[in-house]
Amino acid sequence: MATEDKNRATAAAILPLVGGAANVSSIAHCMTRLRLGLHDRSLVDDEALKALPAVMGVVEDDTYQIVLGPGTVARVTPEFEQLVEEGRETAPPQAAVSSDDLAAQGAAIKAQQKAKNATPFKLFLRKIANIFVPLIPALIGCGIIAGLNGLLVNLGWLPAVTPALAAMASGFMALIAVFVGYNTAKEFGGTPILGGAVAAIIVFPGVANIDAFGQTLSPGQGGVLGALGAAVLAVYVEKWCRRWVPEALDVLVTPTLTVLISGLATIFGLMYVAGEISSAIGTFADWLLSNGGAGAGFVLGGLFLPLVMLGLHQALIPIHTTLIEQQGYTVLLPILAMAGAGQVGAAMAVYFRLPRNESIRRTIKSALPAGLLGVGEPLIYGVSLPLGRPFITACVGGAFGGGFVGLFNQLGDTVGSTAIGPSGWALFPLLDGNHGLGSTIAIYGAGLLVGYVAGFLATYFFGFSKDLLTEFNVSQDPAPSTVAATGGPHPTPDTDADADTNRANGPGSTDPGSTGLDSPEKAPARV
């Protein structure tokens, strides 16, 4: 009993020093630290916290971390959670809900989801995303140059320049396996250059002189998947070597054995296996959209926002890259981009359904341009997800948009993207297909329109219950009597567009303007 009282006393001492129950958005703990998501960091009294006998220190990272030590933190956390819950229950009800409240709810949901994503499988996916996300700028730049080159070739313009543009567009893709190997070794704790050296074997022209499994290897066989596997193997070989190789010989023996062992395994195993897997991915994607494009597009477009929430979208990054490497574009990204269109349509419907809540409407107006360009985080965490139903109806809009694009794939009009990362209107310069750029752009644009309309209608008619409308459709502006008494409303920083954007992103969130993905979660939620 005395121990329980001590743990509760520690929790009770910490709570007011972090701003009280209302300032806590999420609670979790690891082996030694109480990890808190906070709405307002400025409410925390660091020095007073450090002075508490039970607190060994504080660390500020993506969450606010209070070091309590092993054993203690596991006992204090439940008491802290109970005190926060009690504090919220006794808090006075608010008459209206503003965009600040929505942003706080969105930030809390985001923090809780991030904590749930810390499973071994999702952490592995996060590593995979960390390997590919740094490559996205080059993919985008080379993809746009490839599109420009294709346009010039079709028009017959600048024939002396187009070969140079083709070299610029293709050079990176010819060596992408090397970059994947380098990033993989770096992410898994090995020497990056050794990972790149082993992966370089895959694209070396001389492998055409080697037979494996009764077949002659071809340069690039296995692609990015082979490079990924080769670099991971190189990391394990390197770590194994460092356990027994004498320090005096390490600089000579470890790199040699790492490249030799993992290189032989790559040539006589990984290249063949990864090549078969890569071919199967391309074949399956083509078959899926050719035979069930509308249904597949409906499912993919409707589920992508929840996949982002769960962190599972990261598993698609190597698939996108493999398809781009094989076919020149990924047919999946334009379909998944329809989720963002549904999100935009849903936000527009929220705007019209809450005519009295000027605060939320300002948030939508400031976040909508980013949403149109494919950066969905402000609208997701600032508007639809905290409201609940509009997030579901946004998924419905994405499903209809995805089904529309998938249908045309099924009819033979392939719509693809030459790079990953951008979405929404930002994807137009990267579009490619099998029936000309004009047709591809028209189908993708029409798909966005379908997503907008479906998301709007689903949200307008089904996104709000009577209770939800009663709670949220309330004016946030000062009462007329207050305005008259003060000589008019006094503008504050919160009325600025920048402040609205910050509210839309939620406290502590970052508007990436780039992808994603944490790690993939740190990558922008481009949807």
Side-chain angles (χ1 to χ4, degrees):
M1 182 64 67
T3 302
E4 292 180 4
D5 292 341
K6 179 182 177 182
N7 293 328
R8 189 170 185 84
T10 299
I14 292 174
L15 184 56
L17 299 180
V18 296
N23 196 39
V24 178
S25 62
S26 66
I27 305 170
H29 75 87
C30 59
M31 290 293 293
T32 60
R33 302 178 184 183
L34 173 62
R35 298 172 178 261
L36 303 179
L38 302 173
H39 298 308
D40 188 350
R41 172 65 179 81
S42 65
L43 298 179
V44 178
D45 189 339
D46 295 284
E47 297 305 317
L49 274 171
K50 295 176 184 177
L52 292 177
V55 175
M56 301 176 183
V58 297
V59 178
E60 186 167 1
D61 197 352
D62 54 340
T63 57
Y64 189 81
Q65 303 170 15
I66 302 172
V67 183
L68 299 175
T72 301
V73 68
R75 292 168 173 80
V76 171
T77 300
E79 300 292 344
F80 188 84
E81 290 174 335
Q82 185 175 350
L83 288 174
V84 169
E85 187 64 27
E86 291 171 358
R88 289 171 178 168
E89 290 174 356
T90 57
Q94 296 182 356
V97 182
S98 69
S99 62
D100 289 325
D101 302 314
L102 280 188
Q105 294 177 37
I109 294 171
K110 185 177 180 181
Q112 291 168 2
Q113 193 61 53
K114 189 171 182 179
K116 291 180 182 178
N117 283 345
T119 63
F121 176 67
K122 291 176 182 176
L123 289 175
F124 173 76
L125 291 182
R126 192 172 299 172
K127 282 182 176 291
I128 298 300
N130 286 344
I131 292 167
F132 288 93
V133 165
L135 306 179
I136 288 176
L139 285 170
I140 293 172
C142 294
I144 292 178
I145 292 173
L148 175 61
N149 184 62
L151 181 63
L152 293 176
V153 170
N154 291 337
L155 295 174
W157 293 354
L158 303 176
V161 176
T162 51
L165 293 178
M168 297 176 198
S170 303
F172 172 73
M173 290 306 302
L175 297 174
I176 190 173
V178 179
F179 295 98
V180 169
Y182 183 95
N183 287 346
T184 300
K186 181 179 179 181
E187 186 65 27
F188 280 84
T191 302
I193 199 66
L194 291 179
V198 175
I201 297 170
I202 293 174
V203 296
F204 178 60
V207 297
N209 301 320
I210 302 172
D211 290 336
F213 297 97
Q215 297 181 2
T216 301
L217 295 178
S218 58
Q221 184 173 340
V224 294
L225 296 183
L228 181 66
V232 170
L233 177 60
V235 170
Y236 282 101
V237 172
E238 180 186 1
K239 291 181 178 180
W240 170 73
C241 289
R242 297 204 189 280
R243 286 200 294 264
W244 62 270
V245 174
E247 186 174 342
L249 299 176
D250 181 76
V251 69
L252 297 175
V253 175
T254 298
T256 304
L257 290 180
T258 298
V259 175
L260 178 63
I261 296 173
S262 53
L264 289 172
T266 298
I267 292 171
F268 293 104
L270 283 175
M271 285 185 67
Y272 175 81
V273 174
E276 293 298 307
I277 295 174
S278 298
S279 298
I281 289 174
T283 302
F284 178 73
D286 291 339
W287 175 87
L288 181 65
L289 295 181
S290 297
N291 293 278
F298 190 90
V299 172
L300 291 172
L303 290 182
F304 188 64
L305 287 180
L307 285 178
V308 171
M309 291 298 303
L310 295 172
L312 297 178
H313 65 297
Q314 299 159 9
L316 297 173
I317 297 177
I319 296 176
H320 287 312
T321 309
T322 297
L323 292 175
I324 292 171
E325 193 179 34
Q326 285 182 351
Q327 304 173 2
Y329 51 76
T330 168
V331 292
L332 297 180
L333 185 59
I335 291 175
L336 299 176
M338 296 300 116
Q343 177 69 53
V344 168
M348 292 178 177
V350 171
Y351 183 89
F352 285 105
R353 289 291 273 163
L354 301 179
R356 297 179 182 176
N357 197 318
E358 296 85 358
S359 179
I360 293 177
R361 284 161 65 95
R362 282 195 299 267
T363 294
I364 293 172
K365 284 193 292 184
S366 65
L368 203 56
L372 290 170
L373 292 174
V375 182
E377 205 171 50
L379 290 176
I380 292 174
Y381 291 105
V383 180
S384 66
L385 194 58
L387 287 171
R389 279 197 189 185
F391 180 76
I392 298 174
T393 52
C395 294
V396 172
F400 277 94
F404 179 87
V405 176
L407 175 62
F408 277 88
N409 275 275
Q410 187 173 349
L411 296 175
D413 287 307
T414 301
V415 178
S417 169
T418 58
I420 57 177
S423 184
W425 293 3
L427 196 62
F428 277 109
L430 294 167
L431 292 176
D432 197 1
N434 61 348
H435 282 170
L437 186 59
S439 173
T440 303
I441 289 176
I443 294 170
Y444 178 74
L448 288 178
L449 183 61
V450 170
Y452 296 152
V453 173
F456 180 91
L457 294 177
T459 305
Y460 192 90
F461 291 107
F462 304 106
F464 289 89
S465 64
K466 291 182 179 179
D467 291 340
L468 202 60
L469 279 176
T470 301
E471 180 182 3
F472 285 93
N473 194 24
V474 180
S475 176
Q476 299 294 307
D477 280 353
S481 59
T482 303
V483 174
T486 59
H490 297 281
T492 67
D494 279 345
T495 62
D496 294 335
D498 289 343
D500 284 336
T501 302
N502 291 336
R503 285 200 300 268
N505 288 337
S509 74
T510 55
D511 180 11
S514 58
T515 149
L517 322 186
D518 237 78
S519 61
E521 283 174 21
K522 293 180 181 177
R526 292 192 176 275
V527 288

